[in-house]
């Protein structure tokens, strides 16, 4: 399993990576490091933290990465649309960098998410659209 501190580097807003693909010109997206939301008109932090924990429980790096064979790391940017009831309506890979097995493992973790907790009753939009950059940091020499 990846450690969440490594996988979501910058999730607290301190990302030092230029991320133009995370911007959403069609909405009032808020970029929180490596997660972008289509709306911030709700108290999203508790729900998003639970979503993140559920995703991290399902995200397992390929063995070749864990053994340092894929030491360059990589990342994938995915857009996931979630209904108010917690159903995944759409999952799309937007960008990627790195070995295909890394990207497949990240996308597989997102696909295995259901059941997702329903959105709060006061959620203001028909669906929630998340853009998530899932990062495999470079393997540092021991």
């Amino acid at each position: 399993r990846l450690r969440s501190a490594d996988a979501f580097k910058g999730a607290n807003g301190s990302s030092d990576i230029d991320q133009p693909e995370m911007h959403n010109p069609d909405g009032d997206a808020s970029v929180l490091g490596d997660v972008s939301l289509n709306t911030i008109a709700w108290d999203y932090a508790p729900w998003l933290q639970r979503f993140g924990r559920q995703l991290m429980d399902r995200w397992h790096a390929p063995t070749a990465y864990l053994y340092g064979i894929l030491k360059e790391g990589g990342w994938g940017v995915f857009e996931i649309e979630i209904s108010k009831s917690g159903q995944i309506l759409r999952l799309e890979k937007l960008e990627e960098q790195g070995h295909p097995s890394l990207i497949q493992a990240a996308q597989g973790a997102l696909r295995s998410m259901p059941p997702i907790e329903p959105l709060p009753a006061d959620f203001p939009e028909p669906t929630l659209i998340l853009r998530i950059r899932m990062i495999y940091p470079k393997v540092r020499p021991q």
Side-chain angles (χ1 to χ4, degrees):
R1 244 181 61 188
L2 291 174
R3 295 182 331 204
S4 62
D6 291 337
F8 286 107
K9 179 182 178 206
N12 63 0
S14 63
S15 179
D16 60 355
I17 300 169
D18 183 32
Q19 304 175 57
E21 70 281 356
M22 297 300 289
H23 299 289
N24 182 0
D26 298 326
D28 59 348
S30 170
V31 177
L32 303 174
D34 298 315
V35 177
S36 172
L37 308 164
N38 66 321
T39 180
I40 57 169
W42 60 295
D43 184 14
Y44 56 84
W47 185 93
L48 193 58
Q49 286 174 342
R50 290 187 295 272
F51 177 89
R53 282 193 301 271
Q54 183 179 358
L55 176 58
M56 293 308 297
D57 286 344
R58 288 166 169 73
W59 187 16
H60 303 282
T63 304
Y65 177 77
L66 296 174
Y67 283 121
I69 297 168
L70 302 174
K71 57 184 158 226
E72 288 303 308
W75 51 265
V77 175
F78 303 93
E79 188 168 271
I80 184 169
E81 185 171 6
I82 303 168
S83 71
K84 287 186 176 188
S85 66
Q87 178 184 5
I88 293 178
L89 303 175
R90 180 175 56 85
L91 173 59
E92 183 179 348
K93 177 176 53 177
L94 302 178
E95 291 193 44
E96 65 182 275
Q97 179 179 312
H99 193 272
S101 66
L102 299 174
I103 309 312
Q104 290 167 359
Q107 191 168 23
L110 287 164
R111 282 197 174 118
S112 72
M113 290 288 292
I116 296 174
E117 175 184 341
L119 297 171
D122 62 346
F123 184 74
E125 301 291 332
T127 63
L128 172 63
I129 299 171
L130 296 174
R131 283 192 186 173
I132 304 170
R133 179 192 294 257
M134 297 174 71
I135 301 171
Y136 295 90
K138 287 184 179 182
V139 176
R140 297 181 192 133
Q142 298 289 332

